[in-house]
Amino acid sequence: MNIQDVVDIHAICQHGSFRKAATALGISQPTLSTRVHRLEEKLGVQLFYAQRGKSTPTRLAHFIAERSSQLLQDADDLAQRATRLARGQEGHLKIGFGPAAMHILFPEIIRELQLADLDIALDCDFGATQDMVIALTEGDLDLVIGPFDSAMEDPRIDVEPLFEDEYVGVLHVNHPLAGGPVTDPEVPYQYPLALTDLEPRIERIGREEYVPIEEIKNLVTCSDYSVLIDLVQDATHITAGPRYVFLDHVRAGNLVTYTPPLGKISHTECCIRNSEALPIPAIDQVIEISRGISKVIKGELLRNPDLGMLDARG
């Protein structure tokens, strides 16, 4: 007995005749009669007998019909869930966020997913992008959102740039260095620093050569930009990161930024996915949301190219 046999018996019991059941099933009455007859031969028992123009079920047919209700409901639920999964409306995603993406994109992505008709369970990881790209290629993550550079190149991944930005040094407006352009590469290192411990490029806020984070004195490290910004607000610490992370605080007049004395450090926020992994429609949904958020970010950066920059003050 297969699922079609169960559906046929349930329909006949529900509608009371082969003719009505066949109509409900969208088949001809002879086709339904043939299928039931074959099943009766296979089981060696009679399932229905005619009585006053109706198809009366035997005790066995009653038994099958009663037990089939939950089975058919489960099958219908399974079909609906499969459809939602195929459309990206349901599923389980494992996404890695770099520090800036965690601060900028993560809250907006969660908000947009809640507004959409999606039933997606998110398992989020926050860390250094280069480490998460390795996890991506090993199948431990479905998507990574963070900065990408040539050192991470791998034929197994696809990279889609979202928006370009630059790393900047960040000061409170009352910090001693906030009075003019920062031109000496060593001066920022004479003050307490608060830097993310996840993106090594941020550590080069002034010096020409990369300085290991453990060799920097008077340093507080944290992967959460909200904490770093709070430390800068006390007018003692200096931090650094993509300019957009601090744009709202700069616009409010609390913080100022500067380009590292030895030149700009570029930052490109990207969506990174495993090109060898099976397609997951829900990932496309998250990427599309990220594109929309990034479009707003790009507009903000274009409208405020020098906002709060000490360099622009001359």
Side-chain angles (χ1 to χ4, degrees), residues 65-118:
E66 289 174 358
R67 297 297 190 277
S68 68
S69 296
Q70 187 59 50
L71 174 63
L72 295 178
Q73 182 61 53
D74 290 344
D76 184 60
D77 291 344
L78 178 61
Q80 291 185 31
R81 290 203 63 187
T83 299
R84 289 178 62 83
L85 282 167
R87 293 175 178 173
Q89 296 174 310
E90 184 174 327
H92 179 229
L93 290 182
K94 296 173 290 183
I95 305 178
F97 291 87
M102 177 178 69
H103 187 77
I104 300 170
L105 296 174
F106 174 70
E108 294 297 327
I109 289 174
I110 296 299
R111 187 176 296 112
E112 290 294 328
L113 288 176
Q114 289 175 337
L115 292 174
D117 182 23
L118 303 177

Side-chain angles (χ1 to χ4, degrees), residues 275-289:
S275 60
E276 298 179 347
L278 292 174
I280 303 177
I283 289 182
D284 296 327
Q285 297 269 0
V286 174
I287 292 177
E288 188 60 34
I289 291 172

Side-chain angles (χ1 to χ4, degrees), residues 30-31 45 67 86 92 127 135-139 144 153 157 175 205 207 218 222 291 295 299:
T31 298
V45 295
R67 297 297 190 277
H92 179 229
L136 181 73
T137 59
E138 294 177 348
V144 173
E153 290 286 355
I157 61 176
H175 191 280
I205 62 172
R207 292 173 174 169
N218 299 319
C222 178
R291 290 180 187 136
K295 185 176 180 180

Side-chain angles (χ1 to χ4, degrees), residues 122-278:
L122 282 183
D123 184 3
C124 298
D125 189 15
F126 306 100
T129 308
Q130 55 266 40
D131 295 333
M132 292 190 293
V133 167
I134 294 174
L136 181 73
T137 59
E138 294 177 348
D140 295 326
L141 290 173
D142 299 312
L143 181 69
V144 173
I145 303 177
F148 183 84
D149 58 41
S150 57
M152 304 178 201
E153 290 286 355
D154 191 302
R156 295 170 294 178
I157 61 176
D158 290 330
V159 181
E160 177 183 333
L162 292 173
F163 65 91
E164 294 183 4
D165 200 355
E166 64 175 288
Y167 284 112
V168 291
V170 184
L171 312 164
H172 190 269
V173 291
N174 294 327
H175 191 280
L177 294 182
V182 179
T183 57
D184 187 336
E186 293 298 321
V187 167
Y189 292 88
Q190 298 173 11
Y191 294 88
L193 301 177
L195 303 175
T196 174
D197 55 350
L198 298 179
E199 298 294 352
R201 286 175 294 176
I202 295 178
E203 297 156 27
R204 182 177 162 256
I205 62 172
R207 292 173 174 169
E208 183 172 7
E209 298 297 329
Y210 166 74
V211 179
I213 204 163
E214 60 270 12
E215 295 182 12
I216 301 176
K217 298 179 180 179
N218 299 319
L219 173 66
V220 175
T221 61
C222 178
S223 59
D224 188 340
Y225 272 113
S226 297
V227 175
L228 300 181
I229 290 172
D230 286 342
L231 288 171
V232 174
Q233 298 280 22
D234 66 9
T236 57
H237 288 76
I238 300 174
T239 190
R243 191 163 66 93
Y244 188 78
V245 170
F246 312 99
L247 200 56
D248 286 344
H249 295 274
V250 171
R251 188 183 288 111
N254 300 322
L255 303 180
V256 292
T257 62
Y258 67 91
T259 300
L262 295 173
K264 292 184 178 181
I265 304 173
S266 63
H267 171 94
T268 303
E269 204 72 30
C270 302
C271 281
I272 310 165
R273 64 195 303 177
N274 189 336
S275 60
E276 298 179 347
L278 292 174

